[in-house]
Amino acid sequence: MKIDELMSGIKTVGIAGHIRPDGDCVGSCMGMYLYLSKNYPDVRVDVFLESIPPELMFIKGTDKVNSEFVSDVDSYDLFIVLDCSKDRTGNAESFFDKAKKTVNIDHHVSNTGTGDVTYIVPTASSACELVFDVINQDKLDEETAKSLYTGMVTDTGVFKYNNTSPKTMEVAAKLISFGFDFGSLIDHVFYEKTYLQNQILGRALLESIRLLDGRLIVSVVTRQMMDFYGAKSNDLDGIVNQLLLTIGVDCAMFMYEIEPLVYKVSLRSNGAVNVSEIAQLFGGGGHIRAAGCSVNGTAHDVINNITQYIHKQLEENS
Ligand SMILES: [Mn+2]
């Protein structure tokens, strides 16, 4: 599928991604937007996305994104949904339904494809990698390349997760050939934390304990601590991953109090424990190496309850 082949006679294009947009969603939508606006200056291109995370606002054109989901165009000539199926586009779904022609580009296994033209590749690292496939690479420019690179970085955990393929690296190589400062870009979209986030990360690491001969690491952030730092739940993202990076640890448990005596528990494993199975026992779910659940009780009880299942698995699997 080539996007240029769908553009003849098109006067209006709408683009949308999923609700609560992430790096790949914003990167792919803005990449497509920048490509079309530059190469088809007479075509009106509108992007519909919910509010964009501040660390992604450096991407050119994000200040023009329509987050109100109100447009004077009733029926777009072409409507493109990226990084999800049309039912995850929230308030943009009605534009898709009313459009004259629809396109769906995605890399999620669960997406069976919605629209007249679909390009769904579950083995691709990101929607951005697929946008690169469908555009004419000779017409790519630096701003578009930066936008696509951003989504590849975030969806692969900086080219670390196992969705990273040789092709991913080949696409990334072509993108960085534009010469932008990819090191700063990676720090900005992936590694940088606010002072508050670093403080509470430090506190969580400082107060962590090791159990089961050092194979399990546990840390708890109480409501009191969150109030003291003024932290919100998204300020705690990534703490559990840092805990798992402790040498000798096979499983990490991070929990914070969502209301008195109710804890949100995040579990991570290097593969020695299937944490999805454990989270399911407590009404949660996830993947083998990353899962979560909410559990009632004192922190002490929650730790004891979950630890016995981790212990059991470690014994059985060793
Ligand atoms: Mn994605």
Side-chain angles (χ1 to χ4, degrees):
M1 196 266 265
K2 289 285 173 196
I3 204 72
D4 293 287
E5 289 166 12
L6 301 172
M7 288 302 292
S8 73
I10 299 290
K11 290 275 168 280
T12 55
V13 178
I15 298 172
H18 53 78
I19 52 170
R20 283 175 272 111
D22 59 8
D24 186 35
C25 174
V26 176
S28 58
C29 288
M30 299 317 295
M32 183 63 85
Y33 164 83
L34 292 167
Y35 178 83
L36 294 176
S37 338
K38 188 187 173 200
N39 294 300
Y40 300 90
D42 299 332
V43 174
R44 169 169 163 176
V45 188
D46 296 333
V47 181
F48 299 94
L49 286 172
E50 288 181 2
S51 83
I52 293 173
E55 72 273 17
L56 300 171
M57 288 301 291
F58 77 94
I59 297 174
K60 191 179 171 188
T62 42
D63 55 330
K64 297 191 184 74
V65 165
N66 184 326
S67 298
E68 310 292 318
F69 298 92
V70 179
S71 172
D72 53 318
V73 178
D74 186 52
S75 169
Y76 284 90
D77 294 335
L78 182 65
F79 202 87
I80 307 170
V81 165
L82 294 153
D83 199 31
C84 63
S85 51
K86 70 143 189 157
D87 45 298
R88 282 198 66 218
T89 56
N91 292 327
E93 191 172 351
S94 59
F95 291 116
F96 184 98
D97 291 336
K98 285 187 274 182
K100 297 186 183 97
K101 200 195 295 180
T102 53
V103 172
N104 189 189
I105 298 172
D106 190 18
H107 68 121
H108 290 97
V109 195
S110 52
N111 188 355
T112 49
T114 46
D116 303 322
V117 182
T118 61
Y119 186 54
I120 315 288
V121 185
T123 53
S125 69
S126 51
C128 284
E129 189 177 315
L130 298 175
V131 170
F132 182 86
D133 286 346
V134 305
I135 62 179
N136 179 344
Q137 289 148 29
D138 299 332
K139 295 187 193 165
L140 193 62
D141 67 2
E142 179 170 342
E143 293 301 331
T144 311
K146 268 162 79 174
S147 187
L148 297 180
Y149 188 79
T150 298
M152 296 184 73
V153 162
T154 53
D155 259 25
T156 60
V158 194
F159 307 109
K160 188 180 105 163
Y161 304 151
N162 55 14
N163 61 357
T164 307
S165 70
K167 185 182 170 220
T168 308
M169 302 311 286
E170 282 161 23
V171 172
K174 287 179 186 150
L175 297 176
I176 65 166
S177 71
F178 283 93
F180 56 86
D181 183 351
F182 56 85
S184 301
L185 186 153
I186 289 170
D187 278 345
H188 184 68
V189 302
F190 203 83
Y191 292 116
E192 270 177 12
K193 286 176 181 280
T194 63
Y195 182 60
L196 180 162
Q197 288 164 348
N198 267 333
Q199 277 194 308
I200 201 150
L201 166 68
R203 178 81 184 261
L205 298 178
L206 192 66
E207 300 205 0
S208 65
I209 52 166
R210 286 182 298 171
L211 302 168
L212 308 177
D213 296 325
R215 298 182 73 183
L216 169 66
I217 191 163
V218 178
S219 188
V220 184
V221 166
T222 61
R223 182 48 50 187
Q224 250 177 330
M225 281 156 71
M226 289 180 73
D227 291 344
F228 177 80
Y229 292 102
K232 299 189 183 66
S233 61
N234 66 325
D235 292 317
L236 309 173
D237 289 351
I239 292 178
V240 69
N241 300 316
Q242 188 58 47
L243 288 166
L244 184 66
L245 286 173
T246 312
I247 290 176
V249 161
D250 291 317
C251 188
M253 185 193 317
F254 172 69
M255 45 199 268
Y256 69 92
E257 208 172 359
I258 42 179
E259 51 186 273
L261 296 178
V262 183
Y263 286 88
K264 172 88 179 60
V265 182
S266 300
L267 296 164
R268 293 292 184 274
S269 148
N270 59 11
V273 177
N274 180 343
V275 288
S276 164
E277 241 171 52
I278 291 165
Q280 280 174 37
L281 292 169
F282 295 90
H287 309 277
I288 294 174
R289 290 163 184 258
C293 50
S294 296
V295 187
N296 294 45
T298 64
H300 191 79
D301 290 340
V302 174
I303 293 169
N304 280 340
N305 279 334
I306 295 179
T307 299
Q308 57 174 325
Y309 292 103
I310 295 171
H311 186 200
K312 218 166 124 193
Q313 276 204 30
L314 284 172
E315 299 247 286
E316 284 166 4
N317 300 343
S318 63

